[in-house]
Amino acid sequence: METHRLKIDEQASKDRAQFSATLWRGSAVALELGIFNRGAVRDLSDASSLTLRVRSARLSAGLLLEKVVAAADFTACTAPQWAAGTHQHVTLEMTSEEMNFALADPPTTLFVSVTALLGSGGVQVLGLGEFILQDAGAVPGSTTPTEGTLLTLEEADARYVKTTGAQALTEEQQLQVLENLGITLTDSTLTLPNGRTIYLNAPDA
């Protein structure tokens, strides 16, 4: 089974892919995730689970793959241990059946999101990246940072999503849209991909 180590930094720009891994279609793979915040190891004590989702496009509603890891399965990892390649916070294993995506002939770029479900019930976007899917016979790549832009003009316009009225989205759909766009929602704030914070419940004057 091939293994890729992916560094996820919560405060990295959500407008660009943080990580890129070249994978084989139909081949089992293990992903070892290190979770950071501004370069320092992130405290995961506020998270009840971590979820990795794979889609064919950033705004695609249909999931190709979803893997959830409960907090009980998180492991301790220091920055030196991560750098040495000996430890990670989360390990995700995908079987050959799970990786056998029914898509057009590779290479195909897939959109990947990593989120944490917080104890408060909120969802925190930890990182966005991409998988480059190859078929047998291609030369496998390695896990490397990438500067590929993920947001197009049409995707940016999609931020203005109607959430009330006759065509209102359900709460689950609203959260999914926010995740797809790299927007982090808490009880009182929205954090946009560019790092700007919008306060939803300003204190009374």
Side-chain angles (χ1 to χ4, degrees), residues 4 29 32 61 67 73 78 85 95-97 100 102 120-121 132 135 137 150 153 160 163-164 166 186 203 205:
H4 290 260
V29 64
E32 298 177 346
K67 303 290 286 188
D73 294 320
T78 66
T95 66
S96 57
E97 291 78 13
N100 193 24
S120 63
I132 300 173
D135 259 340
L150 293 180
L153 177 60
Y160 299 95
T163 59
T164 60
T186 67

Short mmCIF file of all heavy atoms in Angstrom, two decimals, residues 4 29 32 61 67 73 78 85 95-97 100 102 120-121 132 135 137 150 153 160 163-164 166 186 203 205:
data_model
loop_
_atom_site.label_atom_id
_atom_site.label_comp_id
_atom_site.label_asym_id
_atom_site.label_seq_id
_atom_site.Cartn_x
_atom_site.Cartn_y
_atom_site.Cartn_z
N HIS A 4 1.12 8.42 1.58
CA HIS A 4 1.41 9.84 1.36
C HIS A 4 1.22 10.58 2.67
O HIS A 4 0.24 10.36 3.38
CB HIS A 4 0.47 10.43 0.30
CG HIS A 4 0.72 9.95 -1.08
ND1 HIS A 4 1.43 10.68 -2.01
CD2 HIS A 4 0.35 8.80 -1.70
CE1 HIS A 4 1.49 10.00 -3.14
NE2 HIS A 4 0.85 8.86 -2.98
N VAL A 29 -4.40 3.06 -0.79
CA VAL A 29 -3.46 4.10 -0.38
C VAL A 29 -3.73 4.47 1.07
O VAL A 29 -4.87 4.40 1.55
CB VAL A 29 -3.59 5.35 -1.29
CG1 VAL A 29 -4.97 5.99 -1.15
CG2 VAL A 29 -2.50 6.36 -1.00
N GLU A 32 -1.36 9.91 5.67
CA GLU A 32 -0.96 10.29 7.02
C GLU A 32 -1.04 11.81 7.11
O GLU A 32 -0.32 12.52 6.39
CB GLU A 32 0.44 9.79 7.32
CG GLU A 32 0.55 8.27 7.26
CD GLU A 32 1.94 7.75 7.48
OE1 GLU A 32 2.91 8.55 7.41
OE2 GLU A 32 2.09 6.53 7.70
N ALA A 61 -21.84 18.59 -5.86
CA ALA A 61 -22.63 18.13 -4.71
C ALA A 61 -22.35 16.66 -4.40
O ALA A 61 -22.50 16.22 -3.26
CB ALA A 61 -24.12 18.34 -4.98
N LYS A 67 -14.20 9.83 4.21
CA LYS A 67 -13.59 9.05 5.28
C LYS A 67 -13.64 9.88 6.57
O LYS A 67 -13.22 11.04 6.58
CB LYS A 67 -12.14 8.70 4.95
CG LYS A 67 -11.95 7.93 3.66
CD LYS A 67 -12.49 6.51 3.74
CE LYS A 67 -11.60 5.61 4.54
NZ LYS A 67 -12.02 4.18 4.45
N ASP A 73 -9.46 7.98 17.72
CA ASP A 73 -8.42 7.40 16.86
C ASP A 73 -7.34 8.41 16.48
O ASP A 73 -6.44 8.09 15.70
CB ASP A 73 -9.05 6.81 15.60
CG ASP A 73 -9.94 5.62 15.91
OD1 ASP A 73 -9.56 4.82 16.78
OD2 ASP A 73 -11.02 5.49 15.30
N THR A 78 4.16 15.55 17.66
CA THR A 78 4.85 16.82 17.82
C THR A 78 5.42 17.27 16.47
O THR A 78 5.52 16.46 15.53
CB THR A 78 5.98 16.71 18.84
OG1 THR A 78 6.99 15.82 18.31
CG2 THR A 78 5.47 16.16 20.17
N GLY A 85 9.01 12.14 10.15
CA GLY A 85 8.22 11.13 9.44
C GLY A 85 7.83 9.94 10.28
O GLY A 85 7.46 8.89 9.74
N THR A 95 -9.25 1.63 0.43
CA THR A 95 -9.09 0.35 -0.24
C THR A 95 -9.02 0.54 -1.75
O THR A 95 -9.34 1.61 -2.28
CB THR A 95 -10.26 -0.58 0.09
OG1 THR A 95 -11.46 -0.05 -0.49
CG2 THR A 95 -10.43 -0.73 1.60
N SER A 96 -8.61 -0.50 -2.45
CA SER A 96 -8.56 -0.42 -3.92
C SER A 96 -9.95 -0.20 -4.49
O SER A 96 -10.11 0.49 -5.50
CB SER A 96 -7.94 -1.71 -4.48
OG SER A 96 -8.67 -2.86 -4.05
N GLU A 97 -10.98 -0.78 -3.85
CA GLU A 97 -12.36 -0.57 -4.32
C GLU A 97 -12.77 0.89 -4.14
O GLU A 97 -13.40 1.49 -5.02
CB GLU A 97 -13.33 -1.47 -3.56
CG GLU A 97 -13.21 -2.95 -3.87
CD GLU A 97 -12.02 -3.60 -3.16
OE1 GLU A 97 -11.44 -2.96 -2.24
OE2 GLU A 97 -11.67 -4.75 -3.53
N ASN A 100 -11.26 3.12 -6.84
CA ASN A 100 -11.60 2.81 -8.23
C ASN A 100 -12.72 3.72 -8.71
O ASN A 100 -13.83 3.29 -9.00
CB ASN A 100 -11.99 1.34 -8.36
CG ASN A 100 -12.04 0.89 -9.81
OD1 ASN A 100 -11.39 1.48 -10.67
ND2 ASN A 100 -12.81 -0.15 -10.08
N ALA A 102 -15.18 5.93 -10.86
CA ALA A 102 -15.73 5.84 -12.21
C ALA A 102 -15.70 7.22 -12.83
O ALA A 102 -16.67 7.97 -12.79
CB ALA A 102 -17.15 5.28 -12.15
N SER A 120 -18.58 21.87 19.79
CA SER A 120 -19.68 22.82 19.84
C SER A 120 -20.73 22.56 18.76
O SER A 120 -21.80 23.17 18.78
CB SER A 120 -19.14 24.24 19.67
OG SER A 120 -18.54 24.39 18.39
N GLY A 121 -20.43 21.68 17.82
CA GLY A 121 -21.33 21.40 16.72
C GLY A 121 -20.96 22.10 15.43
O GLY A 121 -21.52 21.81 14.38
N ILE A 132 -4.36 14.00 -7.84
CA ILE A 132 -4.20 13.80 -9.28
C ILE A 132 -4.23 12.30 -9.50
O ILE A 132 -3.33 11.58 -9.07
CB ILE A 132 -2.91 14.43 -9.79
CG1 ILE A 132 -2.92 15.94 -9.51
CG2 ILE A 132 -2.74 14.15 -11.29
CD1 ILE A 132 -1.61 16.62 -9.84
N ASP A 135 -3.82 6.33 -14.05
CA ASP A 135 -4.09 4.93 -14.34
C ASP A 135 -2.78 4.16 -14.37
O ASP A 135 -1.69 4.74 -14.45
CB ASP A 135 -4.79 4.78 -15.69
CG ASP A 135 -6.29 4.58 -15.52
OD1 ASP A 135 -6.71 4.18 -14.42
OD2 ASP A 135 -7.04 4.80 -16.48
N GLY A 137 0.44 2.36 -15.52
CA GLY A 137 1.29 2.67 -16.66
C GLY A 137 1.82 4.09 -16.63
O GLY A 137 2.81 4.40 -17.26
N LEU A 150 -7.79 27.44 -7.02
CA LEU A 150 -8.98 26.60 -6.94
C LEU A 150 -10.26 27.36 -7.22
O LEU A 150 -11.25 26.79 -7.65
CB LEU A 150 -9.07 25.98 -5.55
CG LEU A 150 -7.97 24.96 -5.20
CD1 LEU A 150 -8.19 24.43 -3.80
CD2 LEU A 150 -7.96 23.83 -6.20
N LEU A 153 -14.06 32.58 -11.24
CA LEU A 153 -15.02 33.68 -11.05
C LEU A 153 -16.40 33.13 -10.75
O LEU A 153 -17.11 33.62 -9.87
CB LEU A 153 -15.07 34.55 -12.31
CG LEU A 153 -16.08 35.71 -12.29
CD1 LEU A 153 -15.77 36.66 -11.14
CD2 LEU A 153 -16.05 36.45 -13.62
N TYR A 160 -22.75 33.79 -3.16
CA TYR A 160 -24.03 34.44 -2.93
C TYR A 160 -25.14 33.42 -3.14
O TYR A 160 -25.85 33.44 -4.14
CB TYR A 160 -24.19 35.64 -3.86
CG TYR A 160 -23.10 36.66 -3.63
CD1 TYR A 160 -21.95 36.65 -4.41
CD2 TYR A 160 -23.19 37.58 -2.60
CE1 TYR A 160 -20.93 37.56 -4.18
CE2 TYR A 160 -22.18 38.50 -2.36
CZ TYR A 160 -21.05 38.49 -3.16
OH TYR A 160 -20.04 39.38 -2.93
N THR A 163 -30.35 31.23 0.85
CA THR A 163 -30.57 30.29 1.94
C THR A 163 -31.92 30.49 2.61
O THR A 163 -32.23 29.83 3.60
CB THR A 163 -29.47 30.44 3.01
OG1 THR A 163 -29.47 31.77 3.51
CG2 THR A 163 -28.10 30.08 2.43
N THR A 164 -32.75 31.41 2.10
CA THR A 164 -34.09 31.61 2.64
C THR A 164 -35.07 31.71 1.50
O THR A 164 -34.70 31.94 0.34
CB THR A 164 -34.17 32.89 3.48
OG1 THR A 164 -33.83 34.02 2.66
CG2 THR A 164 -33.23 32.84 4.68
N ALA A 166 -38.43 30.39 -1.01
CA ALA A 166 -39.00 29.19 -1.61
C ALA A 166 -37.94 28.18 -1.99
O ALA A 166 -38.18 26.98 -2.00
CB ALA A 166 -39.83 29.57 -2.83
N THR A 186 -18.71 29.50 12.57
CA THR A 186 -18.88 29.21 13.99
C THR A 186 -20.20 29.84 14.43
O THR A 186 -20.94 30.40 13.61
CB THR A 186 -17.72 29.78 14.83
OG1 THR A 186 -17.77 31.21 14.79
CG2 THR A 186 -16.38 29.30 14.29
N PRO A 203 -22.18 42.59 19.37
CA PRO A 203 -22.77 42.96 20.66
C PRO A 203 -23.59 44.23 20.54
O PRO A 203 -23.31 45.11 19.71
CB PRO A 203 -21.53 43.17 21.55
CG PRO A 203 -20.42 43.45 20.60
CD PRO A 203 -20.72 42.65 19.37
N ALA A 205 -24.99 47.88 21.16
CA ALA A 205 -24.27 49.12 21.48
C ALA A 205 -24.64 49.60 22.89
O ALA A 205 -25.73 49.34 23.35
CB ALA A 205 -24.61 50.19 20.44
#
